[in-house]
Amino acid sequence: MTTSLWQQYGRDSSLQHQIALRSTQGNLSWQALAAEINARAVLFRQQGVGMGTGVGLCGKNSLEFVLAYLAVLQLQGRVLGINPAFSPEKIQRICQDNQIAFLFHEETGLVPTGEGKTCSPLFHSLTLTLTSGSSGNPKAVVHNIKAHLDNAQGVCRLMAFNEQDTWLLSLPLFHVSGQGILWRWLSCHGILMLPGEDFYGSVLEATHVSLVPTQLQRMFAYIEMQQCLSWRTQHILLGGTHIPIALTQKLSQLNIQSYSGYGMTEMASTVCAKKSDEHVGVGQPLLGRELRLVDEEIWLKGAGLGLGYWQNGAVVPFTNSEGWLQTRDKGIWVNGELVIIGRLDNQFISGGENIQPEEIEALLQQYPTVKQAFVLPVDDVEFGQRPVAMVQFSGDFSTAQVTELRSWIAEKIEKFKQPIAYYPLPIQAQHGIKISRVMLKQALVQLLRKDE
């Protein structure tokens, strides 16, 4: 085993008795936490986990998942989070592709997969995080512990997170955003809080929380429904998609400081962030990050940059010849801060004009009754492609709602960017904490067939 931060804190006389983790099962001090992780590490080692061994964690966030994640790293293994919503066939394929020798489920514990025997022990103490990209094919981004900690420092400094504060594990560990919470906690030896069954009640008990806009909308509904008059929440980091200004202004009215961020799996989570204001940008690169715009494509390097993608038992770098990660994200500088325009992969051409779906989506989400909106291209004989919208209203989807929305947007955007049709946003496209554009395209194809 290798000495880890949690072991150091557990032995430090000034820290060992401080609370490290809160859960529905009680509180753990740093000393007790280190002992629990040691116990899992001993058990895992007895079952065959060692330097370079790949272990997949498949399930929802829990105390056991946190302990297992850290125990694998303590044993200098490779840990990969897997969405439990994936089919058994997809999970098996992921294990094969990434040489995952064991799969951990909270109910069954550590189970051999029959894979991973060819993996070199040279690749150790690594996290693998799946990212679908635009194709929908999962690729595993490889990070070492230093990259996670380097990324964490900039976020903790911006959000004034320290050892007296509590950060809620509000995002899944199989997302890099969830892992980012763990490493911020560890870098500052603060307090990690695991949510209980009343998730939004837990949100209001932590000083620091990471949320996507959908979760934030549900938090507002919870506060209203429960008639909450007070909360401990002081700082909320927002990211994952376009962040409506109306939401951050509503947080300000609740005396909660929000932060608008932009990040990538390849960069170990947040790259740029700022205290939210009346502007749509995401600020500037945080501590140690570097950013360059090349033909409006965002290039990144510095703190948090991964080692590459895991392919066939090796790490294949994803940087270009100059050492930059070409993100395929489109951005511009406005008044000294980065504004994210959208994915270059999502852009399409309609009648010779470039259309960036995210621009239209951001406008649609300014309409009072629109909760979420996504714009996709459909083939058109005359124009090549035209935009259509998939929308979730705060109430039921109806012709009347669509008519009013059409009229509203007609005065605010060029005609060729106005959606030619509107469809309800399918619930099944909610893939974890993000909407899957791949699934939206599949759903749209089915809807269009019904219209034929």
Side-chain angles (χ1 to χ4, degrees), residues 89-274:
E89 294 77 19
K90 185 170 184 176
I91 292 172
Q92 182 180 10
R93 187 170 68 251
I94 288 169
C95 290
Q96 291 172 346
D97 292 344
N98 297 285
Q99 289 72 52
I100 298 301
F102 296 91
L103 201 57
F104 180 88
H105 290 272
E106 189 167 5
E107 299 80 11
T108 59
L110 208 61
V111 178
T113 65
E115 306 294 336
K117 295 178 181 178
T118 59
C119 178
S120 169
L122 293 174
F123 300 112
H124 60 85
S125 304
L126 300 174
T127 67
L128 277 64
T129 309
L130 295 176
T131 179
S132 61
S134 301
S135 66
N137 298 318
K139 295 180 292 185
V141 178
V142 183
H143 284 100
N144 57 25
I145 290 174
K146 182 180 184 303
H148 283 294
L149 291 173
D150 287 347
N151 180 284
Q153 288 180 18
V155 180
C156 291
R157 177 181 292 189
L158 173 72
M159 296 180 63
F161 181 70
N162 56 52
E163 63 183 44
Q164 286 81 39
D165 295 320
T166 303
W167 206 308
L168 184 73
L169 188 58
S170 50
L171 300 172
L173 278 178
F174 53 79
H175 279 292
V176 77
S177 51
Q179 294 177 65
I181 296 170
L182 282 193
W183 293 104
R184 291 165 207 153
W185 160 58
L186 291 169
S187 70
C188 296
H189 44 79
I191 302 171
L192 181 71
M193 180 176 173
L194 273 64
E197 290 186 13
D198 182 359
F199 178 82
Y200 291 99
S202 299
V203 167
L204 301 180
E205 286 293 315
T207 61
H208 291 65
V209 186
S210 303
L211 298 176
V212 297
T214 301
Q215 291 174 314
L216 182 58
Q217 290 175 334
R218 292 170 183 167
M219 187 195 85
F220 290 140
Y222 178 91
I223 289 175
E224 185 175 347
M225 185 185 307
Q226 300 294 325
Q227 298 182 344
C228 301
L229 299 177
S230 64
W231 41 83
R232 295 178 182 171
T233 316
Q234 300 171 20
H235 306 269
I236 294 182
L237 176 62
L238 298 167
T241 185
H242 169 73
I243 304 163
I245 292 175
L247 293 183
T248 61
Q249 290 177 335
K250 194 169 182 179
L251 273 178
S252 181
Q253 293 168 6
L254 298 179
N255 202 28
I256 298 174
Q257 178 64 63
S258 63
Y259 302 79
S260 302
Y262 160 72
M264 293 201 72
T265 302
E266 288 83 351
M267 291 293 292
S269 193
T270 309
V271 177
C272 297
K274 66 167 187 181

